[in-house]
Amino acid sequence: KMSSEFQPLIDHINSIIVEKTTSKGVREKLKVVLEILKDETESDVAINKSLAILEEFESDPNIDSYTRTQIYSIVSVLGQFE
């Protein structure tokens, strides 16, 4: 398991999930990303799967700007691992 390198990111994602303003749809997808980051043994596979899910948010007009900013920050951190 290599989730330790992702731990700060996992903590950040958890904080978005518990945020009251986070919509149910966003929360569900972020939980999937969390599972991937925790369980995937291949670092690059975890990053690619996570980015694929997060990129679905880019075309979602129903996400408020604060949540969108949070998601962009996750994408940006994931990009640094590549």
Side-chain angles (χ1 to χ4, degrees):
K1 290 222 186 228
M2 42 99 237
S3 67
S4 61
E5 70 175 300
F6 291 128
Q7 195 55 53
L9 189 56
I10 288 169
D11 294 341
H12 182 58
I13 294 171
N14 271 320
S15 71
I16 299 168
I17 289 172
V18 301
E19 190 84 41
K20 286 184 179 65
T21 56
T22 305
S23 71
K24 188 171 187 255
V26 171
R27 191 173 285 128
E28 294 308 312
K29 283 185 180 171
L30 289 179
K31 285 179 181 173
V32 174
V33 171
L34 273 187
E35 291 309 306
I36 292 168
L37 293 177
K38 287 178 181 174
D39 299 338
E40 182 57 62
T41 52
E42 294 287 322
S43 182
D44 53 344
V45 173
I47 292 164
N48 290 332
K49 283 183 177 176
S50 298
L51 286 172
I53 292 169
L54 294 169
E55 280 164 7
E56 294 172 21
F57 290 126
E58 288 179 18
S59 56
D60 188 337
N62 302 316
I63 297 178
D64 65 278
S65 60
Y66 175 74
T67 304
R68 191 177 300 279
T69 304
Q70 296 293 314
I71 290 166
Y72 284 143
S73 74
I74 298 169
V75 169
S76 151
V77 172
L78 281 168
Q80 293 169 9
F81 284 107
E82 285 187 301

